[in-house]
Amino acid sequence: MFLRLTLSCALLAGGLAAPPSAPGAPIPPLPLTSSSAPPPTGAPAEAPATAPGSAARPAATPCNAPYRIDKTLPNGARWQLCWEMRNVEGLTLTRIVYTPKGQRPITVLRSTSLAQIHVPYDKGRPRYHDIGSLGYTAIPLRAADCPLGERREQFVCVTTRARGHAYLKALPDQLNKTAQGRDLVVFAAFQVGWYTYLAEWAFSDDGAITPRVGATGSLAGFTTTPEHGWPIGVGASGFEASHTHNIFWRLDFDVAGRADDVVEQYDFSGSGTASRKILRTAFTAEARSVSRPMRWWRVVDRKVRNADGHRVSWEINNSDTAQYRGPADEAFTRADLYVTDYRSCERLATVNPAPGCARSVDRYTNGERLADPVLWVNVGYHHVPRDEDADPMPSHWQGFRITPRDVTAKNPH
């Protein structure tokens, strides 16, 4: 996975650095040899605390076309957000607001982006870090790449797609009560070495968010010994090297505004028993955690409540990770979720380019008190090549799910 650092005229002309009309304050390019970090993006206005049964009304999404996305899905749910193509992180979504049908809007995320694609090979080398100048590798999209959607500035697709049954309930002697769900999808493609990475966020009509990455393009063509690979092609003369994709996302939550966000972890005791007990751990300082069966996390606002009087939150489930654990010099792989306090220079999970800041996410978690939590989610996929991966390689996807918990008092569909 070589980083392609050369720039083409077409990419530079395509507006990879956010122009003045992009969301919030412009984000200047951050060269690999930069001596100063760029300023952070502007934040939405802080939402005031509200009484039970109401929700905070966020400030209007502060960006203009073509960087503003505003979509109402068939069930009446509305998503508003902005996009930027940053030189370092690539596609970055900011100021994400969800409005359930018939209710007031609520902010969810200040920003979300990829934070690293770490690719260690089973034989011990090479060990790549594919993000560091991702925006420069963005691929211009064609109409066929964005079916039934809209291409923004060549590099970003905004579209919708069916997600299957939202629900189906049988009613005696009546027609089934049923509905089909739909997603707003925002994605971009990046060519990094042999791989084409598809960075995608799906915003569902029930308020859920699914960040994921699809890896396609071509296999690297690295041959190895049988214990580190799989025979590809005719016979068994060459073994394509197995490897892992450890993908990190950075999530700067602002649930109903910047104030009063708390991160909680939930576990359930009682394996092998008839009963289970719920266990809650609140993170008051920067921390790291590993994914376990039945473990999940949420970002909850202390003050904002739904119509039932329950605190509004978004749940993070990361149960599909391969949980790669590397050697001592890859300590950043030793956890599946990191919680840090916001710092503008903490941009990438590894090989962080900003001067004056730690180089990796494991070093960001140094015990500081959490006032404005940022979450870093690590999802691993172990790629053991197969004959079906011959060119073009089918997309293999990895990601996680962010689910609304008590944002509405009943099914919003």
Side-chain angles (χ1 to χ4, degrees):
M1 308 296 166
F2 295 119
L3 280 176
R4 190 178 67 188
L5 301 181
T6 56
L7 307 181
S8 70
C9 294
L11 288 179
L12 289 174
L16 288 177
S21 57
I27 305 298
L30 180 62
L32 296 182
T33 57
S34 173
S35 59
S36 61
T41 56
E46 183 175 305
T50 56
S54 63
R57 182 181 294 277
T61 308
C63 56
N64 301 316
Y67 306 101
R68 184 171 186 265
I69 299 171
D70 188 338
K71 182 66 178 179
T72 300
L73 295 167
N75 76 329
R78 182 184 183 187
W79 285 98
Q80 298 165 278
L81 58 144
C82 305
W83 70 267
E84 304 170 6
M85 188 64 78
R86 296 184 179 179
N87 291 346
V88 173
E89 298 95 337
L91 179 61
T92 301
L93 306 182
T94 64
R95 300 156 178 89
I96 298 170
V97 179
Y98 168 60
T99 308
K101 180 182 179 180
Q103 300 192 37
R104 294 188 178 189
I106 183 168
T107 55
V108 184
L109 288 154
R110 181 187 185 191
S111 68
T112 176
S113 63
L114 288 175
Q116 193 50 264
I117 302 176
H118 172 237
V119 189
Y121 277 72
D122 285 13
K123 63 182 179 179
R125 51 189 295 267
R127 313 182 77 77
Y128 294 116
H129 300 258
D130 279 349
I131 293 182
S133 55
L134 193 63
Y136 295 136
T137 71
I139 299 170
L141 300 174
R142 311 303 180 198
D145 304 323
C146 186
L148 304 178
E150 178 187 0
R151 288 170 289 159
R152 303 283 184 94
E153 298 287 287
Q154 302 183 64
F155 299 104
V156 175
C157 174
V158 179
T159 188
T160 64
R161 67 177 177 220
R163 65 177 179 89
H165 281 94
Y167 58 81
L168 192 158
K169 179 178 180 179
L171 300 174
D173 303 320
Q174 299 180 48
L175 295 175
N176 292 337
K177 189 173 184 180
T178 184
Q180 293 292 306
R182 200 153 189 91
D183 289 344
L184 164 68
V185 179
V186 183
F187 78 87
F190 304 90
Q191 189 65 41
V192 183
W194 304 272
Y195 271 89
T196 304
Y197 289 116
L198 308 175
E200 175 189 287
W201 283 261
F203 300 90
S204 298
D205 53 12
D206 62 357
I209 305 172
T210 306
R212 63 176 191 160
V213 168
T216 179
S218 301
L219 290 169
F222 289 162
T223 57
T224 187
T225 51
E227 65 268 27
H228 298 309
W230 196 265
I232 297 294
V234 178
S237 58
F239 290 78
E240 180 77 24
S242 299
H243 52 280
T244 297
H245 297 259
N246 299 312
I247 299 183
F248 290 80
W249 285 261
R250 181 183 181 276
L251 303 158
D252 184 0
F253 277 92
D254 278 351
V255 178
R258 292 182 62 183
D260 302 311
D261 285 353
V262 177
V263 181
E264 298 175 342
Q265 176 176 290
Y266 286 83
D267 293 281
F268 295 81
S269 65
S271 178
T273 64
S275 65
R276 292 190 177 96
K277 182 170 65 174
I278 189 169
L279 304 173
R280 181 181 69 89
T281 303
F283 295 144
T284 58
E286 295 179 324
R288 64 192 71 185
S289 184
V290 299
S291 183
R292 292 179 180 171
M294 301 180 67
R295 170 174 284 179
W296 45 270
W297 305 267
R298 73 167 180 164
V299 181
V300 57
D301 190 282
R302 289 191 186 97
K303 296 180 179 178
V304 177
R305 299 174 184 262
N306 69 7
D308 283 346
H310 299 149
R311 291 178 178 176
V312 166
S313 67
W314 260 267
E315 174 185 327
I316 297 94
N317 188 298
N318 183 18
S319 59
D320 293 332
T321 178
Q323 287 192 302
Y324 172 87
R325 301 296 183 244
D329 61 350
E330 292 176 350
F332 56 85
T333 65
R334 303 293 177 85
D336 305 302
L337 178 131
Y338 293 88
V339 184
T340 64
D341 202 49
Y342 175 83
R343 291 189 69 194
S344 61
C345 67
E346 293 175 350
R347 300 181 66 176
L348 296 184
T350 74
V351 295
N352 186 47
C357 213
R359 290 277 289 172
S360 58
V361 66
D362 55 298
R363 299 181 181 183
Y364 303 161
T365 51
N366 55 12
E368 291 180 18
R369 177 181 168 273
L370 287 174
D372 186 3
V374 174
L375 275 64
W376 307 73
V377 179
N378 171 20
V379 180
Y381 173 84
H382 189 216
H383 187 187
V384 180
R386 57 195 177 116
D387 277 346
E388 287 84 354
D389 285 336
D391 271 19
M393 182 176 65
S395 300
H396 57 79
W397 293 91
Q398 61 197 98
F400 62 103
R401 190 165 173 82
I402 304 168
T403 307
R405 176 168 287 277
D406 307 330
V407 173
T408 56
K410 62 179 182 179
N411 187 341
H413 205 282

